[in-house]
Amino acid sequence: MTPFASLIWKEWRGERRSIGTLAAAAALLPVLGLWLASRWAHSGGDEAFHYDESTATIVTHMALLAAALTVGAELVPREESGGAIALLRRLPCGLLRAFAAKFSLLVLVAASVALVAWFSACLAIGATGGPWFPRFLVNRSFVVASGLSSLASAVLLGGFALTASTWSRSATLALPIAIAALFLAALPFAAAPDWFPGLLLRADELRWLAWSAAGGAPLVAACSFVLGRRHGGGTCQCLVVGLATSLLLLLPAYGWLVTRIVDWGRIDPYVSSFRFKLRSSHGFLDGTGRFAFAPVQHEVIGLDDSLAEARDPAHAGNGPVHWLKVDLNDGSWREAERAELLSRDARNSEWDSIRRRDGTLVFLDQRQLVVEAPDGSRRALPDAALDQRGHASVWGGAFRFHTGPQHELYDVHRERRYQEVDPDECVRVRPGRWLVWTPTASASDSWRVPGEWQLFDPDRGETAPAPAAVAADRLLWFADDGSALGGQRGEQGRIDELFRIDPELGTRERIALPSWLEGSIEAIHLAERTHAGTPILRFERVPSHGDPSHHFARWDGARRELFFAGDADTPQLAVVGCPDEESLLVIEEQRRLVRLHFGSDAREVVFPNPNPRSEDS
């Protein structure tokens, strides 16, 4: 018998009782457990219950890992308690060969116990109504890969258990120490997606880490046992050597993880995963109109987007949101500073402010409505403070105060607070008399059913019919002076011709439209204002054939003209702002900043610059 075979025989004789116990448990427990589970299911009324082919695989893996942990935790403490460590040091073959014998026995026992558990599980499955002996897969490469993966798991856990057993004189303590060591080693990789929400480690990366760990675990165990026990070393020396070896092996993996996190957090506008973050704020311009600020991130839709991973390996998961500062003159960029973001003036949309006909702007500031003149001076509006429980929103041309069961409307033109009128009617607060849309049919969306406008005096509580010429008009958007853009719906329910309408006087002035927009207007919304306060309107277009689309135009109230930016083929856009009176900055397809010009089809890609020069503005 060779020296190595003698060492394996020695390990077998020392562990044969434990091995016999594991084999008996692997033979009996699957049968008993699966039979009881089947009986419990049948007693609950599930007569059709039976096991599928994956049951035996699960049982086999459980037995494999349990055997690897149990045997690995006992091999060295048994030598300590029997005083055999001193004998192993004096053997001419050395401690390395002794360790190889221990580890070989560990792998053989784990594989044998797993085989017994699989055979026992197959018998139990067949005896309880399942298929006898799950059929093997024809794909041999898959069978080999699965077997190697299971063996690697046993090597990994057995290696950790064997390492922990060199650090403790008790097999009882070795098992929890091994589990704790494995948990701590894997914690950074497991917790990274929680610490950095959106970060994903790809499947091939995790496989590489798992195989590296399976190869490193026996090496750490060998160093702990061989170098730690050499020259009379004890448990402390084994611990120091094992921790040093573990650190050396983990440093490259941790360094890779840090690099991966840095790459994931870095912004690069020239890779496929780069996206502008479209949310309540698409971005804004500074006071000069030269710099644009916009939120961006690297984004991959879905957790298993293999194509995106292949195109952009550094950004397999949704990255953090960055705010960029882009110079619109040359396309250069850098990350915006917090002070630059806090100094923004975001009160330029219909959603949180109202502009009056005199050019002043009304908005909520610290639970108080204030009016700001064009020169920047402010004053608080009377009776316009919110209590601590209330909140306000812009709706129907007024601030709607939610202070309890009864809502109130604040008319910024009259600077007075009113009780809300019938919520079933649609109200538009304006400088003159209010407009109330009274539907002639019941529907949840009263704007879209037949009805007529009525004029309402909120101070007197009197209602009068609107002029006959505009009573049934569809008023799509209201200007600051109280006039509206709208018209009569055609046969398909869309606006065929657009008019500037005065609801009180009943006058209608036709507005010229491009031919591709006629007969397809569904809605009009305020999208933005220029620095001078000129409204930029978004037209929702629904043609007879084709997909709906949005288009932007500057409204010149004095000349009664619309100047559209782009043409009918404009793709989906999100507005950032107006750098000047003649252009509009938009986000196109979440990928780039584009400058459109009013009254022209010209478009200019501002960012990312096709010829990048630097990342500093």
Side-chain angles (χ1 to χ4, degrees), residues 31 38 43-44 54 127 162 170 196 201 256 269 289 308 340 342 413 467 473 480 482 494 531 533 568 577 598 601:
V31 174
S38 177
S43 65
S54 64
L162 192 55
S170 170
F196 305 94
L201 300 181
W256 169 85
E340 294 173 318
L342 294 178
H413 308 287
D473 270 334
D480 301 331
R494 282 113 187 163
H531 188 69
F598 296 113
D601 294 342

Side-chain angles (χ1 to χ4, degrees), residues 470-503:
V470 300
D473 270 334
R474 176 83 165 121
L475 305 182
L476 300 180
W477 174 76
F478 285 85
D480 301 331
D481 61 2
S483 63
L485 294 183
Q488 294 285 340
R489 286 187 177 274
E491 294 181 357
Q492 296 182 343
R494 282 113 187 163
I495 299 297
D496 291 329
E497 293 182 301
L498 189 67
F499 296 88
R500 177 188 178 274
I501 299 170
D502 189 316

Side-chain angles (χ1 to χ4, degrees), residues 113-284:
V113 169
L115 186 61
V116 171
W118 177 82
F119 189 80
S120 175
C122 291
L123 290 178
I125 292 171
T128 53
W132 284 95
F133 290 94
R135 60 181 180 272
F136 288 101
L137 295 175
V138 178
N139 190 338
R140 295 182 180 180
S141 61
F142 180 83
V143 174
V144 172
S146 179
L148 290 177
S149 177
S150 300
L151 191 61
S153 301
V155 169
L156 174 64
L157 293 182
F160 269 92
L162 192 55
T163 301
S165 69
T166 65
W167 299 348
S168 172
R169 296 178 179 271
S170 170
T172 305
L173 292 177
L175 192 57
I177 291 175
I179 296 175
L182 179 62
F183 172 79
L184 291 176
L187 180 61
F189 301 99
D194 294 326
W195 294 339
F196 305 94
L199 173 66
L200 297 177
L201 300 181
R202 303 192 307 272
D204 59 331
E205 296 172 338
L206 295 176
R207 284 193 296 269
W208 175 80
L209 289 171
W211 280 101
S212 300
L219 181 59
V220 175
C223 291
S224 298
F225 181 78
V226 177
L227 300 181
R229 297 295 178 181
R230 185 172 291 175
H231 306 302
T235 303
C236 292
Q237 184 169 319
C238 291
L239 179 62
V240 172
V241 172
L243 291 178
T245 307
S246 301
L247 183 60
L248 290 175
L249 292 178
L250 288 173
L251 276 179
Y254 289 156
W256 169 85
L257 180 62
V258 171
T259 303
R260 179 73 169 75
I261 292 172
V262 171
D263 289 340
W264 165 81
R266 184 183 294 121
I267 202 70
D268 184 354
Y270 296 98
V271 299
S272 61
S273 59
F274 176 83
R275 296 287 186 276
F276 283 90
K277 184 69 173 176
L278 300 186
R279 51 185 185 184
S280 58
S281 173
H282 304 325
F284 62 95

Side-chain angles (χ1 to χ4, degrees), residues 20 31 75 98 164 170 175 185 187 210 218 228 266 316 328 364 384 413 442-443 455 457 468 478 502 517 554 556 605:
V31 174
L75 287 173
S170 170
L175 192 57
L187 180 61
R266 184 183 294 121
L328 302 184
L364 192 66
H413 308 287
S442 60
L455 298 174
D457 187 335
F478 285 85
D502 189 316
L517 193 59
R554 186 188 67 206
D556 189 329
V605 177

Side-chain angles (χ1 to χ4, degrees), residues 278 516 538-541 547-553 565-575 584-597 600-605:
L278 300 186
W516 48 264
R538 185 184 75 218
F539 284 73
E540 295 184 14
R541 174 174 178 258
D547 297 328
S549 58
H550 292 181
H551 306 274
F552 299 93
D567 56 17
D569 297 325
T570 302
Q572 183 178 2
L573 305 172
V575 174
L584 177 69
L585 190 68
V586 297
I587 298 171
E588 184 179 83
E589 298 176 346
Q590 289 189 254
R591 293 280 295 149
R592 49 195 167 270
L593 287 177
V594 176
R595 188 198 297 261
L596 304 177
H597 297 270
S600 170
D601 294 342
R603 59 186 299 276
E604 173 191 355
V605 177

